Amino acid sequence: MNTRDPFGLHHKLSVLSILQTRVSVAADSVGADSAAALSRQTLEASKQAIQTGKQAPEGPGVPPDGMSFSLPNNIPSFTNPQRRFEDSRWGSSGAVHGQRSSAVGNRAVGSAGNGLGGYFKDKDLPLYKDKPFTYASSRRKRSLWRRKRVFAGAMLFLGLLYWLGLFSDMVPKRSGWSKTNQRPKAMDWDGRRERVKEAFIESWEAYESYAWGYDEFHPISKSGRQMVPKGLGWIIVDSLDTMMLMNLTQKLSSAREWISTSLDYDQDHDVNTFETTIRMLGGLLSAHYLSSTFPEMAPLAKGEKVDEDLYLEKATDLADRLLGAYESPSGIPYASINLKTMEGILSHSDAGASSTAEAGTLQLEMKYVAKLTGEKSYWDKAEKVMQVIDDNAVKDGLVPIFIYATTGQFRDSTIRLGSRGDSYYEYLIKQYLQTSEQEPIYRDMYDQALNGVRKHLVTYSTPSHHTLIGELPGGIGGHLSPKMDHLVCFMPGTIALGATGGLTEKEARKLSTWGKKQEDEMKLARELMQTCFGMYRVTLTGLAPEITWFHIDDQPLHEGEATPPDGLTDETDADWKQDYIVKAEDSHNLQRPETVESLFMMWRITGDIKYREWGWEIFEAFEAYSRENHGAGFVSLNNVNELPPSQRDNMESFWLAETLKYLYLLFSPNDILPLDKVVFNTEAHPLPRFELGNLFSTGWKRKPRGKDGNLISSAKETEAAKGTGEGTK
């Protein structure tokens, strides 16, 4: 047996390596003289290759530098419970993933490699798991195959010469070789998904090594910090469902053990109500959902014993403690909560007001706890918040960004879809979808708000006319600021989700409810998606700043009054880039997920491959510039327009919980967590859709509204609304 070449690939690849080299040279050659010379050189090389194939030694005498195949670094455990997932993946792949090819290698084997692939009849077998079916115990039985292989190699080589157009006297000459003449290569999305998984593993192992059990991880100083004395499991809990999706059995087992033995929310310390709900409560609920509904996602490691209700028990304990935040005079939750005393605490800033986004982004989690436990109090507290916000009867559904927990009234008139405002709008449509479209009140609120966004906030940059969502610092009727937080980039995906309900666009178009409204919304989603991707492509690192500004006309254009550019070219001095403004104080990158979140949703809904390509470009930029310089995971950046960029000593938990998860799903098959079956909370934790059942219902009604969704002020208008059925939903 050839111990240096256990799978019998040495001779196959000896010819292939020379052919690849010659194809690479040919790619850079033009002109008849050089082509003819190359042809002679290549023919001579092929003779040498064939002779080498005949004389190639077998067995232990083959020197290490002659190896044509080496085992990959990450060989799977054949006894690990995760093994069956690896069997399934490799059985359908036929490619070794996670190995990076050089640019030269890609050019050399691009189209030629595809043709050579058919030469190996065992190409669909995993390379390191089993022996190819041609492998035999006797060299005598392989002699005929060896002769056929040499002949096939020679014939294939001549075919390559013909394909390259080097027989100039026999076929018409090509006009020249360029990348545009090459046949398109099928993308290895499984391989790209594995690259994302590798980035997660690298980040997680750095956290394990230097900050295990801590809420914060500082990769540069290789240290951690707790947010409360005994920790909240901030990074561990936030990452549970990502590890389940990636089938990281052993790492999940370690996290589960920490939660079982070390996670204790009975601590005399205040925490942010919103952040604790979306990250900790959402993370535990998602882990419960995935592990109970899809147990193959969370297999137990060998010898591991765990309470099957572990995640749910921790979630209900935390939810009980969070309920105290809702005990305000108005029902609007306090900004913070003491986990031990369960007493709500007013915000330490903003004159004590709570963030509107934070108050309106707790409902998915609390309603799911209620559904799981049958405890209606969680439900009632969460939906009361929506009633108080809506009773303010804001114009066109656009809410100011601060609201007092004491009175339930808004603090000022600032309107934006960035910080303090964003996820309120996201949860309107997601509440409607979570309860299987059985609560139309949230659909009404979402439609009114989206119409308000399109009427008051959507405009175009100048001179290239990128579609953007601005801000109204002085409220409706005031000056439109051309400032767009990266946070706003959740909107393209959310708009597409609202238009289709999570179905593919092709499926949604068949519904009787599809019409001009949905067409216009999908058009807006596509335009905003391009603008958000431009935030990345416009910078030197290819990573987006925290905030982007735009040049706009003195009299801002309204939706439909301009035509955005058809695509974004990558030239350094491309005209479309002049519309974007990145200020020094806004140029940091915090590994945020909103753009890749929308790319994931846009890909699932539209099926347009460019959204996958854009996501890959973003991931490669993260790999190039966000990786910590000394191998301790990935970090935030201080300036995306600085090369090399200076790094911040911080890794956000949402890098693991959201950014890498959405990228992983972007490159995964579409039947994993289909958008018409789940809703993702604002921290990317998937939760199931469910029916209301007998116990739950919408416990409030909107004040009478007119056709535009705004509050009706007179008795006459009220009667008119009742006549059209618009005032009692």
Side-chain angles (χ1 to χ4, degrees):
M1 176 180 175
N2 184 350
T3 58
R4 294 290 186 182
D5 184 20
F7 304 139
L9 298 178
H10 180 83
H11 305 316
K12 297 176 185 179
L13 297 184
S14 61
V15 177
L16 175 61
S17 62
I18 294 178
L19 294 182
Q20 289 175 336
T21 303
R22 293 304 175 187
V23 172
S24 178
V25 173
D28 298 322
S29 303
V30 294
D33 293 339
S34 59
L38 174 62
S39 178
R40 290 192 298 272
Q41 296 170 12
T42 309
L43 285 169
E44 184 62 30
S46 68
K47 293 177 182 178
Q48 297 173 6
I50 293 171
Q51 186 64 27
T52 300
K54 292 178 179 178
Q55 299 173 355
E58 297 183 21
V62 180
D65 59 2
M67 291 182 66
S68 297
F69 178 84
S70 60
L71 291 176
N73 292 328
N74 299 316
I75 301 177
S77 168
F78 291 90
T79 59
N80 194 305
Q82 185 178 331
R83 174 64 180 165
R84 62 181 181 274
F85 304 121
E86 293 164 342
D87 288 350
S88 174
R89 202 186 98 68
W90 286 104
S92 62
S93 169
V96 177
H97 302 305
Q99 295 180 352
R100 305 175 189 178
S101 303
S102 67
V104 173
N106 286 337
R107 289 195 300 269
V109 300
S111 298
N114 292 337
L116 288 167
Y119 177 62
F120 302 115
K121 294 184 179 180
D122 58 344
K123 64 176 181 175
D124 289 331
L125 291 175
L127 292 182
Y128 67 73
K129 188 173 70 171
D130 298 306
K131 299 174 184 177
F133 75 92
T134 55
Y135 186 89
S137 59
S138 170
R139 283 182 290 176
R140 182 185 309 159
K141 294 179 180 180
R142 295 190 311 195
S143 59
L144 179 60
W145 163 241
R146 191 182 304 138
R147 292 196 297 270
K148 288 182 178 180
R149 184 173 69 242
V150 171
F151 175 77
M155 294 301 294
L156 180 60
F157 169 70
L158 294 176
L160 279 173
L161 293 182
Y162 179 87
W163 179 76
L164 291 172
L166 298 180
F167 296 111
S168 57
D169 294 335
M170 299 175 63
V171 296
K173 293 182 179 180
R174 289 177 178 264
S175 58
W177 181 282
S178 69
K179 288 185 178 180
T180 58
N181 289 335
Q182 299 182 51
R183 299 173 186 174
K185 184 175 65 174
M187 289 299 122
D188 180 12
W189 297 112
D190 281 349
R192 292 183 172 188
R193 179 176 62 170
E194 287 303 299
R195 285 273 291 278
V196 175
K197 182 176 178 178
E198 289 170 6
F200 179 93
I201 292 172
E202 182 179 342
S203 301
W204 183 261
E205 290 182 345
Y207 169 69
E208 282 183 314
S209 298
Y210 304 115
W212 179 247
Y214 285 92
D215 295 325
E216 297 177 7
F217 174 39
H218 305 292
I220 296 175
S221 60
K222 296 179 173 57
S223 63
R225 190 183 77 86
Q226 297 289 27
M227 299 168 62
V228 300
K230 293 187 290 185
L232 294 169
W234 208 251
I235 292 175
I236 294 175
V237 173
D238 219 7
S239 304
L240 288 171
D241 51 14
T242 307
M243 288 187 282
M244 290 180 183
L245 289 169
M246 293 181 176
N247 290 325
L248 297 174
T249 304
Q250 192 57 53
K251 299 184 186 308
L252 178 62
S253 176
S254 299
R256 193 160 43 206
E257 181 182 5
W258 186 91
I259 291 171
S260 177
T261 60
S262 301
L263 182 58
D264 181 10
Y265 289 121
D266 188 23
Q267 301 187 56
D268 189 9
H269 202 283
D270 60 294
V271 297
N272 179 274
T273 305
F274 162 74
E275 296 287 358
T276 305
T277 298
I278 66 167
R279 301 190 196 211
M280 299 299 94
L281 183 58
L284 290 167
L285 290 172
S286 179
H288 171 75
Y289 163 59
L290 292 180
S291 62
S292 59
T293 307
F294 310 102
E296 66 276 9
M297 284 190 178
L300 299 181
K302 186 176 181 180
E304 181 185 9
K305 294 181 179 180
V306 65
D307 183 352
E308 63 180 12
D309 293 326
L310 171 66
Y311 301 129
L312 183 56
E313 289 174 355
K314 293 292 184 180
T316 52
D317 174 55
L318 179 57
D320 287 342
R321 298 174 188 280
L322 291 170
L323 279 177
Y326 297 83
E327 298 298 330
S328 69
S330 69
I332 294 295
Y334 290 107
S336 299
I337 179 75
N338 183 293
L339 288 175
K340 188 174 185 66
T341 66
M342 304 182 199
E343 294 180 357
I345 303 170
L346 288 171
S347 172
H348 301 300
S349 58
D350 307 310
S354 298
S355 158
T356 305
E358 293 184 0
T361 312
L362 311 167
Q363 287 67 30
L364 295 184
E365 297 81 2
M366 297 301 279
K367 285 184 173 182
Y368 187 42
V369 174
K371 185 68 176 178
L372 288 171
T373 63
E375 294 292 336
K376 199 168 182 294
S377 58
Y378 303 121
W379 186 286
D380 295 339
K381 296 291 186 183
E383 75 168 4
K384 175 65 175 178
V385 178
M386 303 308 298
Q387 180 181 10
V388 174
I389 292 175
D390 195 59
D391 279 353
N392 277 273
V394 296
K395 183 175 177 60
D396 293 332
L398 300 181
V399 295
I401 61 174
F402 291 108
I403 188 169
Y404 289 109
T406 51
T407 65
Q409 301 297 309
F410 291 114
R411 180 191 171 203
D412 61 12
S413 56
T414 301
I415 293 171
R416 64 177 181 235
L417 269 65
S419 62
R420 308 289 189 178
D422 50 356
S423 50
Y424 163 78
Y425 302 95
E426 175 189 355
Y427 269 36
L428 292 179
I429 189 61
K430 287 185 176 179
Q431 286 186 76
Y432 172 66
L433 296 176
Q434 181 187 38
T435 52
S436 303
E437 304 181 6
Q438 293 179 337
E439 295 186 279
I441 193 170
Y442 298 114
R443 174 96 237 185
D444 293 343
M445 294 174 69
Y446 170 77
D447 285 341
Q448 182 191 9
L450 182 57
N451 288 336
V453 169
R454 296 172 64 182
K455 180 179 179 182
H456 300 288
L457 300 180
V458 171
T459 189
Y460 300 91
S461 65
T462 186
S464 299
H465 296 149
H466 300 287
T467 306
L468 64 111
I469 294 177
E471 299 180 357
L472 292 171
I476 292 176
H479 167 71
L480 180 67
S481 170
K483 170 180 172 283
M484 190 168 169
D485 293 359
H486 186 275
L487 291 166
V488 181
C489 289
F490 81 94
M491 277 297 284
T494 299
I495 293 172
L497 184 66
T500 64
L503 298 172
T504 66
E505 189 175 19
K506 183 178 180 180
E507 292 170 332
R509 287 178 183 275
K510 299 176 182 177
L511 301 177
S512 60
T513 53
W514 188 269
K516 185 179 185 302
K517 173 180 178 293
Q518 289 75 20
E519 291 285 356
D520 290 345
E521 289 175 1
M522 288 303 301
K523 179 176 179 290
L524 177 60
R526 287 182 167 91
E527 292 174 2
L528 289 171
M529 189 74 264
Q530 179 170 274
T531 301
C532 287
F533 177 61
M535 294 179 182
Y536 287 78
R537 186 166 276 187
V538 77
T539 69
L540 293 180
T541 60
L543 293 172
E546 180 71 358
I547 298 171
T548 302
W549 299 73
F550 293 86
H551 295 289
I552 63 171
D553 293 332
D554 292 337
Q555 293 296 322
L557 299 173
H558 294 95
E559 184 185 1
E561 294 182 347
T563 302
D566 183 16
L568 304 175
T569 58
D570 199 21
E571 290 85 357
T572 303
D573 58 349
D575 290 341
W576 65 266
K577 293 184 178 182
Q578 61 187 308
D579 295 33
Y580 288 73
I581 304 169
V582 179
K583 298 181 179 180
E585 61 269 26
D586 304 326
S587 62
H588 51 287
N589 178 281
L590 300 179
Q591 305 169 295
R592 288 202 183 275
E594 289 76 23
T595 294
V596 294
E597 170 189 356
S598 282
L599 288 172
F600 158 65
M601 292 189 179
M602 291 296 288
W603 156 248
R604 286 283 184 92
I605 290 170
T606 70
D608 191 333
I609 198 70
K610 73 181 178 185
Y611 299 124
R612 274 184 151 184
E613 292 291 358
W614 289 357
W616 180 247
E617 185 173 318
I618 290 171
F619 175 71
E620 286 194 307
F622 274 124
E623 276 200 318
Y625 297 110
S626 188
R627 177 176 273 114
E628 199 273 327
N629 292 329
H630 299 92
F634 290 76
V635 294
S636 303
L637 303 179
N638 284 313
N639 188 343
V640 294
N641 273 326
E642 176 183 77
L643 290 179
S646 59
Q647 299 183 333
R648 292 189 173 190
D649 191 14
N650 187 56
M651 182 195 76
E652 297 287 350
S653 74
F654 53 68
W655 165 249
L656 303 176
E658 297 188 75
T659 307
L660 291 178
K661 180 188 294 161
Y662 279 130
L663 284 165
Y664 185 79
L665 290 171
L666 176 61
F667 305 136
S668 295
N670 290 352
D671 59 355
I672 298 177
L673 299 180
L675 293 179
D676 61 338
K677 296 295 189 294
V678 302
V679 289
F680 288 85
N681 87 334
T682 197
E683 188 73 7
H685 296 307
L687 304 173
R689 300 190 187 191
F690 56 82
E691 303 280 340
L692 286 174
N694 296 326
L695 182 59
F696 302 104
S697 62
T698 307
W700 66 285
K701 294 181 179 180
R702 302 189 78 188
K703 293 179 179 179
R705 312 271 166 165
K707 291 183 178 180
D708 59 359
N710 292 319
L711 193 65
I712 295 173
S713 57
S714 69
K716 184 176 180 180
E717 289 175 322
T718 301
E719 290 301 317
K722 287 181 178 178
T724 58
E726 293 173 2
T728 58
K729 288 184 178 180

